[in-house]
PDB file of all heavy atoms in Angstrom:
ATOM      1  N   SER A1353      45.701-113.854 -65.772  1.00  0.00           N
ATOM      2  CA  SER A1353      44.549-114.295 -66.547  1.00  0.00           C
ATOM      3  C   SER A1353      43.289-113.932 -65.776  1.00  0.00           C
ATOM      4  O   SER A1353      43.339-113.604 -64.590  1.00  0.00           O
ATOM      5  CB  SER A1353      44.619-115.799 -66.761  1.00  0.00           C
ATOM      6  OG  SER A1353      44.055-116.475 -65.661  1.00  0.00           O
ATOM      7  N   GLY A1354      42.162-113.986 -66.481  1.00  0.00           N
ATOM      8  CA  GLY A1354      40.904-113.584 -65.861  1.00  0.00           C
ATOM      9  C   GLY A1354      40.641-114.328 -64.559  1.00  0.00           C
ATOM     10  O   GLY A1354      40.319-113.727 -63.528  1.00  0.00           O
ATOM     11  N   GLY A1355      40.791-115.625 -64.596  1.00  0.00           N
ATOM     12  CA  GLY A1355      40.504-116.423 -63.416  1.00  0.00           C
ATOM     13  C   GLY A1355      41.487-116.134 -62.289  1.00  0.00           C
ATOM     14  O   GLY A1355      41.109-116.078 -61.115  1.00  0.00           O
ATOM     15  N   GLY A1381      34.032-116.571 -64.308  1.00  0.00           N
ATOM     16  CA  GLY A1381      35.246-116.798 -65.079  1.00  0.00           C
ATOM     17  C   GLY A1381      36.185-117.836 -64.488  1.00  0.00           C
ATOM     18  O   GLY A1381      37.336-117.931 -64.894  1.00  0.00           O
TER      19      GLY A1381
ATOM     20  N   LYS B1640      46.328-105.823 -71.583  1.00  0.00           N
ATOM     21  CA  LYS B1640      46.118-107.249 -71.829  1.00  0.00           C
ATOM     22  C   LYS B1640      44.658-107.493 -72.175  1.00  0.00           C
ATOM     23  O   LYS B1640      43.772-107.100 -71.435  1.00  0.00           O
ATOM     24  CB  LYS B1640      46.496-108.041 -70.578  1.00  0.00           C
ATOM     25  CG  LYS B1640      46.263-109.532 -70.702  1.00  0.00           C
ATOM     26  CD  LYS B1640      46.574-110.234 -69.388  1.00  0.00           C
ATOM     27  CE  LYS B1640      46.299-111.712 -69.459  1.00  0.00           C
ATOM     28  NZ  LYS B1640      44.879-112.028 -69.622  1.00  0.00           N
ATOM     29  N   ALA B1641      44.419-108.133 -73.285  1.00  0.00           N
ATOM     30  CA  ALA B1641      43.036-108.335 -73.708  1.00  0.00           C
ATOM     31  C   ALA B1641      42.364-109.406 -72.857  1.00  0.00           C
ATOM     32  O   ALA B1641      43.016-110.276 -72.341  1.00  0.00           O
ATOM     33  CB  ALA B1641      42.995-108.755 -75.157  1.00  0.00           C
TER      34      ALA B1641
ATOM     35  N   ASN E 208      42.185-121.987 -65.147  1.00  0.00           N
ATOM     36  CA  ASN E 208      42.518-120.567 -65.207  1.00  0.00           C
ATOM     37  C   ASN E 208      44.014-120.386 -65.384  1.00  0.00           C
ATOM     38  O   ASN E 208      44.812-121.056 -64.742  1.00  0.00           O
ATOM     39  CB  ASN E 208      42.076-119.871 -63.926  1.00  0.00           C
ATOM     40  CG  ASN E 208      40.572-119.932 -63.763  1.00  0.00           C
ATOM     41  OD1 ASN E 208      40.060-120.557 -62.854  1.00  0.00           O
ATOM     42  ND2 ASN E 208      39.867-119.322 -64.692  1.00  0.00           N
ATOM     43  N   GLY E 209      44.343-119.506 -66.284  1.00  0.00           N
ATOM     44  CA  GLY E 209      45.751-119.246 -66.526  1.00  0.00           C
ATOM     45  C   GLY E 209      46.399-120.286 -67.415  1.00  0.00           C
ATOM     46  O   GLY E 209      47.622-120.324 -67.543  1.00  0.00           O
ATOM     47  N   GLY E 211      46.215-120.407 -70.605  1.00  0.00           N
ATOM     48  CA  GLY E 211      46.726-119.776 -71.814  1.00  0.00           C
ATOM     49  C   GLY E 211      45.690-119.623 -72.919  1.00  0.00           C
ATOM     50  O   GLY E 211      46.030-119.314 -74.060  1.00  0.00           O
ATOM     51  N   LYS E 212      44.438-119.785 -72.578  1.00  0.00           N
ATOM     52  CA  LYS E 212      43.385-119.728 -73.603  1.00  0.00           C
ATOM     53  C   LYS E 212      43.273-118.334 -74.229  1.00  0.00           C
ATOM     54  O   LYS E 212      43.316-118.178 -75.449  1.00  0.00           O
ATOM     55  CB  LYS E 212      42.036-120.130 -72.971  1.00  0.00           C
ATOM     56  CG  LYS E 212      42.075-121.470 -72.268  1.00  0.00           C
ATOM     57  CD  LYS E 212      40.766-121.813 -71.608  1.00  0.00           C
ATOM     58  CE  LYS E 212      40.375-120.903 -70.449  1.00  0.00           C
ATOM     59  NZ  LYS E 212      41.256-120.988 -69.273  1.00  0.00           N
ATOM     60  N   THR E 213      43.135-117.346 -73.348  1.00  0.00           N
ATOM     61  CA  THR E 213      43.019-115.991 -73.869  1.00  0.00           C
ATOM     62  C   THR E 213      44.286-115.602 -74.623  1.00  0.00           C
ATOM     63  O   THR E 213      44.240-114.912 -75.638  1.00  0.00           O
ATOM     64  CB  THR E 213      42.758-115.013 -72.715  1.00  0.00           C
ATOM     65  OG1 THR E 213      41.579-115.408 -72.041  1.00  0.00           O
ATOM     66  CG2 THR E 213      42.613-113.592 -73.213  1.00  0.00           C
ATOM     67  N   THR E 214      45.414-116.087 -74.134  1.00  0.00           N
ATOM     68  CA  THR E 214      46.669-115.796 -74.819  1.00  0.00           C
ATOM     69  C   THR E 214      46.631-116.314 -76.253  1.00  0.00           C
ATOM     70  O   THR E 214      47.114-115.649 -77.169  1.00  0.00           O
ATOM     71  CB  THR E 214      47.836-116.422 -74.050  1.00  0.00           C
ATOM     72  OG1 THR E 214      47.795-115.954 -72.703  1.00  0.00           O
ATOM     73  CG2 THR E 214      49.165-116.059 -74.679  1.00  0.00           C
ATOM     74  N   GLN E 255      37.282-111.115 -73.016  1.00  0.00           N
ATOM     75  CA  GLN E 255      36.913-111.668 -71.716  1.00  0.00           C
ATOM     76  C   GLN E 255      36.479-110.548 -70.758  1.00  0.00           C
ATOM     77  O   GLN E 255      35.453-110.648 -70.108  1.00  0.00           O
ATOM     78  CB  GLN E 255      38.105-112.423 -71.131  1.00  0.00           C
ATOM     79  CG  GLN E 255      37.799-113.085 -69.811  1.00  0.00           C
ATOM     80  CD  GLN E 255      38.912-114.003 -69.378  1.00  0.00           C
ATOM     81  OE1 GLN E 255      39.972-114.078 -69.998  1.00  0.00           O
ATOM     82  NE2 GLN E 255      38.688-114.722 -68.289  1.00  0.00           N
ATOM     83  N   ASP E 346      35.327-115.204 -76.226  1.00  0.00           N
ATOM     84  CA  ASP E 346      36.046-115.452 -74.973  1.00  0.00           C
ATOM     85  C   ASP E 346      35.061-115.385 -73.813  1.00  0.00           C
ATOM     86  O   ASP E 346      34.649-114.307 -73.390  1.00  0.00           O
ATOM     87  CB  ASP E 346      37.172-114.416 -74.793  1.00  0.00           C
ATOM     88  CG  ASP E 346      38.213-114.878 -73.795  1.00  0.00           C
ATOM     89  OD1 ASP E 346      37.930-115.833 -73.041  1.00  0.00           O
ATOM     90  OD2 ASP E 346      39.321-114.289 -73.766  1.00  0.00           O
ATOM     91  N   GLU E 347      34.672-116.516 -73.314  1.00  0.00           N
ATOM     92  CA  GLU E 347      33.727-116.634 -72.194  1.00  0.00           C
ATOM     93  C   GLU E 347      32.448-115.825 -72.403  1.00  0.00           C
ATOM     94  O   GLU E 347      32.132-114.938 -71.621  1.00  0.00           O
ATOM     95  CB  GLU E 347      34.403-116.228 -70.882  1.00  0.00           C
ATOM     96  CG  GLU E 347      35.592-117.111 -70.562  1.00  0.00           C
ATOM     97  CD  GLU E 347      36.030-116.984 -69.104  1.00  0.00           C
ATOM     98  OE1 GLU E 347      35.181-116.656 -68.263  1.00  0.00           O
ATOM     99  OE2 GLU E 347      37.210-117.226 -68.847  1.00  0.00           O
ATOM    100  N   ILE E 378      35.978-119.975 -75.985  1.00  0.00           N
ATOM    101  CA  ILE E 378      36.478-120.300 -74.651  1.00  0.00           C
ATOM    102  C   ILE E 378      35.300-120.215 -73.702  1.00  0.00           C
ATOM    103  O   ILE E 378      34.512-119.272 -73.778  1.00  0.00           O
ATOM    104  CB  ILE E 378      37.542-119.267 -74.204  1.00  0.00           C
ATOM    105  CG1 ILE E 378      38.717-119.256 -75.167  1.00  0.00           C
ATOM    106  CG2 ILE E 378      38.003-119.560 -72.779  1.00  0.00           C
ATOM    107  CD1 ILE E 378      39.730-118.166 -74.867  1.00  0.00           C
ATOM    108  N   HIS E 380      33.831-121.513 -69.554  1.00  0.00           N
ATOM    109  CA  HIS E 380      33.913-122.343 -68.356  1.00  0.00           C
ATOM    110  C   HIS E 380      32.577-122.989 -67.991  1.00  0.00           C
ATOM    111  O   HIS E 380      32.532-123.859 -67.147  1.00  0.00           O
ATOM    112  CB  HIS E 380      34.411-121.515 -67.165  1.00  0.00           C
ATOM    113  CG  HIS E 380      35.861-121.140 -67.254  1.00  0.00           C
ATOM    114  ND1 HIS E 380      36.867-122.065 -67.402  1.00  0.00           N
ATOM    115  CD2 HIS E 380      36.487-119.943 -67.215  1.00  0.00           C
ATOM    116  CE1 HIS E 380      38.037-121.453 -67.449  1.00  0.00           C
ATOM    117  NE2 HIS E 380      37.836-120.144 -67.349  1.00  0.00           N
TER     118      HIS E 380
HETATM  119 MG1  LIG F 123      41.045-115.896 -70.286  1.00  0.00          MG
END
Side-chain angles (χ1 to χ4, degrees):
Chain A
S1353 85
Chain B
K1640 178 184 178 294
Chain E
N208 297 114
K212 306 177 294 294
T213 302
T214 305
Q255 183 171 6
D346 199 345
E347 299 196 27
I378 300 174
H380 289 304

